[in-house]
Structures are given as C-alpha cells and as structure tokens.
Amino acid sequence: MPEGMKLPAEMPDSTADASPHVVRDIGLEQAWRWYGPSDPVTLADIRQAGAQAVVTALHETYDGRPWASDAIATRKSLIEQAGLTWSVVESIPIHPSIKLGTDEAATYTDHFAVMMERLAEQGIQTICYNFMPVVDWTRTDLRYPMRNGGLTLRFDAIDFAAYDLFILQRAGGQADYSPAMVEKAKRRAAALSDDAITTLETTIIAGLPGSELSHSRESIRQKIADFAAIDDAAIFANLTNFLREVVPRAEACGARLCLHPDDPPFSLFGLPRVVSTEADYRAILDSVPSPANGMTLCAGSLGSRADNDLPAMVRTFGDRIHFVHLRNVAREPDGSFIESDHLGGDVDMVAVLAALLAEQNKRRSAGRADWRIPMRPDHGPLLLDDQTKTTNPGYSAIGRLKGLAELRGIMTTLTHPSLGQEHA
C-alpha cells in the first residue's frame, strides 16, 4: 500500500467470507448490471465473477409510475441474500413528456422524484438515467464477427442511413446526410434481402436491454414527428427544467443523479442530442451547480467520438462523476464502430482508470462519504458457449467476466505498492 494511505473505517470488507489469502480490494467498486430474476446471468454468477455490487432497476415498470417501496425492498433483499449490494439504479425511465416539455412533464417529473426518494430511503442513492429521445442506445448488428471468433455489437453508419432513408423513409431525412452517404445508403438498402431488412429494423427500433420503449415502423415515425419542433436548444431547456425540479429533492434525500451520455453520441433520425461531448456536460453541470447533478462516465459511448478526450474529462468533471461504464470501441472514419475487447479499442483504458483512481484518492483524502466510485464492465462480446445461449445483447456472462478481470488487473497494477502510486 502506498505510504501514508489509510483505509477508512467505513470501507466494505470484501474478504469477510473469503480465504484469508485474498487481498483486500481498494480500487473502484466493481459492479455488474443485472436485469432482475429473469436475467440469464444469475446473482450467483455475478458473485463468482468477482463483482461486489449490482446495478439494476425494476425493469418490469417502465411507464413512468414510481416504484412501490415494498417492491424496492424485496429486490434489495434478494440481492443482499446473494452476498451482494445494490449499489446503483440504472434505467429509471424519463417519461417522453419531460423530454418534450408538455403539460404532463410536471406530473412525471414528480413521479421520478418520488421514486428517487423511495430508493434513497432504502440506501440506494446513485441513480443513472439518460435523456435520449425516442430511441435509447442503438446498434445495427448484435452478432458482428470478431477476428478471434467472438461476436460483438456494431453500429454501421451506412446500415443505419439505409434504414432511415430507404426503409423507414423518414420525411426530410436526406438533409441530415452528405450526398455521398445518401448514395452509399441507397446501394446498401437495395442489396438487403427481406430477412436482412427485418433483422436490421428489429435491431434498431425494437429496443435493446434497458431501453425504455419498443417501436414498430409506424410508431417510430410518429414518435420522431412528435419531436419535429424540438431542437437541441429546446431539449436542453427541458433537461435543465427537469434538473431544477429534481436536484433539490435529490440533495434533501442524499441521492446522486448521474446522466448517461447519448449512445451513439450524435444525432439519429434527425433527433436532438445534447449529452454527447465535454461541452455538453459542462453546460448541463453548470446549469444546476450541485454535487447531486452529476454524470455517468461511459467510456464506450463518449469514446465513439474521436474528439472526446476521456482521461481529460475525468480530470475536468471528476468530482461530479458518480458512476462509470467501462467498455471500449474501435472507431471508423464514417462514424461506424464496433465494441472491442475492453483493452483493445481506441479508448486508452489504462489512462482512464488511472485518472479515476486519482479522483477516488482525492475524494477519500477530502473525507467524502461517497469517495468510492462504482464502475461496471459495460457490455462484452459473445464468447465460447455463450454464443449458443439466450442472452441479453451486450450482457452475456463470459465477455463481461473477461472484461472485469482485465479491468481489475489494471487497477491492481496501478495501486500496487511497488509503483509508489497513490491512485487508490
């Protein structure tokens, strides 16, 4: 342990029921996303992977109603019985009325705040949410072949444009693309079979894990049309109006809100995107300057843009980062990307972790009660026999287990006494 470093009394003992030869973990809190009792990856699996905490939600309730206190308590108890803690809530839905700024926004904003307060009463205080309109995180291929034989997630910019312009036939869509991209998309669409069109459409609009809504071709046309009068400035105003209402209530109950970036971090279907860059986050965090108004640093989402410097963003926004998603992407010049191995893409994961561990050490030295930053290995390729199993896209067991092990190895190295570092 680096000289002068002391373990705080409140630090969780990760070796309480383990072998006495296990070294105490002092890196970021290692969490794992779990989709509830129906998730093919069980709580027992999560514990065997070495995670300490669970990131989850009551995924069966996505209509904007506050979750019942007894339902929260039951889910929390189930997690604790498995020897884990419920550390972060992810995917509390933000009702479309809030994003649109309609007359119903006040009602659903209050519903969100009530749910946040009920969670905080149970000691679940870190809440990850997003503000993407109509579609949540979006890919065009869920089983893209990797060089090593694994299967990964891919966003292909030409495939997306082919769907948008020549299958969905969005009104006015061609104005959002360059002439060269329109021509490429036209050729791509013409080459797709009926089965390929169905698969592409389902992948884009039917809703991936954690997504708020699932659409048909007609319903998504209507939802996109609903946002015709909402530009970036308008949706930013609706976001800040939402934050001005809920952040004071978060402060009162001890909750920490952490806004997830757009995924991908650029416009889809001509819809507004305002959580994609360092400048976006600076504007959002400055609009309601409270520690309760924080961010989720998603390395994969933000890393899908070459102009986002992830280690620099950690140093800039460190004290407002309440949750971290660690995954990597290999970018292509036209905006396409694949989800690579956690250490194999364009994001410098070692530099990101070093910056996060330095921030965590700063918090601990300052005596912050929330000094420890939860992270989870985000997504993971389909590897080995997971390729033949039913899994949630991006959330199979083996790919994430491999990613968590790699990330844990980096943290162990960065905090090793022989390096003389004081990251964590």
Side-chain angles (χ1 to χ4, degrees):
M1 182 181 302
E3 183 179 355
M5 183 179 297
K6 296 181 180 180
L7 296 174
E10 71 271 22
M11 181 168 184
D13 184 356
S14 62
T15 66
D17 60 348
S19 162
H21 302 293
V22 175
V23 177
R24 187 192 300 267
D25 168 31
I26 58 170
L28 306 180
E29 181 181 63
Q30 298 170 39
W32 188 282
R33 191 165 193 181
W34 181 60
Y35 284 94
S38 63
D39 194 324
V41 181
T42 67
L43 291 171
D45 295 335
I46 294 170
R47 195 169 184 204
Q48 288 182 45
Q52 305 146 336
V54 166
V55 175
T56 193
L58 300 187
H59 291 281
E60 60 273 22
T61 305
Y62 264 140
D63 59 3
R65 287 176 297 152
W67 300 337
S69 294
D70 58 350
I72 296 169
T74 298
R75 188 62 52 86
K76 181 185 178 188
S77 176
L78 182 65
I79 292 166
E80 291 174 346
Q81 288 169 19
L84 299 159
T85 60
W86 185 354
S87 178
V88 180
V89 174
E90 185 167 352
S91 294
I92 291 184
I94 303 295
H95 194 269
S97 65
I98 298 172
K99 300 170 188 176
L100 286 164
T102 68
D103 291 342
E104 292 183 303
T107 296
Y108 285 103
T109 297
D110 181 66
H111 287 349
F112 181 98
V114 168
M115 185 156 39
M116 173 185 68
E117 290 160 350
R118 290 175 180 174
L119 287 160
E121 287 173 358
Q122 301 280 345
I124 307 160
Q125 297 172 303
T126 304
I127 298 170
C128 173
Y129 69 104
N130 75 69
F131 217 73
M132 291 179 270
V134 183
V135 288
D136 205 294
W137 69 284
T138 303
R139 301 293 183 268
T140 59
D141 192 337
L142 306 181
R143 297 176 69 91
Y144 186 79
M146 303 174 74
R147 291 180 180 178
N148 64 1
L151 302 172
T152 192
L153 306 175
R154 174 173 172 79
F155 179 85
D156 186 301
I158 299 175
D159 279 349
F160 187 87
Y163 176 76
D164 185 16
L165 299 179
F166 300 103
I167 299 170
L168 183 64
Q169 298 180 351
R170 175 170 62 90
Q174 293 198 14
D176 296 324
Y177 298 91
S178 70
M181 179 61 82
V182 172
E183 183 58 32
K184 290 178 183 178
K186 183 178 181 179
R187 292 197 300 268
R188 182 71 56 85
L192 293 174
S193 67
D194 289 345
D195 286 346
I197 289 172
T198 298
T199 299
L200 179 62
E201 181 164 58
T202 300
T203 301
I204 292 174
I205 70 172
L208 292 172
S211 298
E212 185 177 330
L213 297 170
S214 179
H215 305 285
S216 67
R217 192 179 301 181
E218 288 308 315
S219 72
I220 199 168
R221 283 194 185 113
Q222 182 57 55
K223 296 298 182 184
I224 292 169
D226 289 345
F227 278 86
I230 304 293
D231 59 10
D232 286 358
I235 201 168
F236 177 82
N238 293 338
L239 171 58
T240 54
N241 288 339
F242 167 76
L243 289 170
R244 290 187 181 109
E245 293 297 322
V246 298
V247 167
R249 293 172 69 170
E251 292 172 338
C253 69
R256 295 176 292 276
L257 298 173
C258 37
L259 177 58
H260 188 283
D262 302 324
D263 185 10
F266 43 78
S267 177
L268 300 178
F269 297 122
L271 294 163
R273 296 286 225 199
V274 292
V275 197
S276 296
T277 66
E278 179 176 339
D280 290 341
Y281 269 110
R282 182 176 290 107
I284 292 162
L285 299 180
D286 287 350
S287 70
V288 183
S290 165
N293 176 28
M295 70 181 287
T296 296
L297 184 89
C298 181
S301 299
L302 293 168
S304 300
R305 289 180 64 125
D307 56 348
N308 280 330
D309 183 334
L310 273 294
M313 291 181 75
V314 175
R315 292 187 288 270
T316 298
F317 302 119
D319 64 338
R320 306 280 283 276
I321 295 172
H322 300 318
F323 183 36
V324 177
H325 291 177
L326 294 178
R327 63 178 171 88
N328 218 323
V329 292
R331 299 185 297 262
E332 299 171 29
D334 65 359
S336 302
F337 59 86
I338 66 164
E339 301 208 13
S340 63
D341 291 328
H342 285 76
L343 305 186
D346 289 313
V347 175
D348 186 342
M349 197 63 72
V350 175
V352 169
L353 275 167
L356 287 166
L357 290 168
E359 169 59 28
Q360 183 169 269
N361 190 60
K362 184 191 303 182
R363 295 181 184 192
R364 184 168 49 193
S365 297
R368 277 181 59 165
D370 63 341
W371 65 270
R372 200 167 196 209
I373 303 171
M375 72 84 171
R376 65 174 178 86
D378 196 12
H379 301 174
L382 278 171
L383 302 174
L384 307 176
D385 64 342
D386 271 352
Q387 295 184 3
T388 64
K389 296 177 181 176
T390 299
T391 64
N392 289 318
Y395 292 96
S396 58
I398 298 172
R400 285 186 291 165
L401 184 151
K402 175 177 176 286
L404 181 58
E406 292 170 345
L407 298 168
R408 184 186 299 129
I410 293 174
M411 290 191 293
T412 301
T413 301
L414 289 172
T415 60
H416 196 275
S418 66
L419 295 181
Q421 302 294 318
E422 294 195 11
H423 292 303

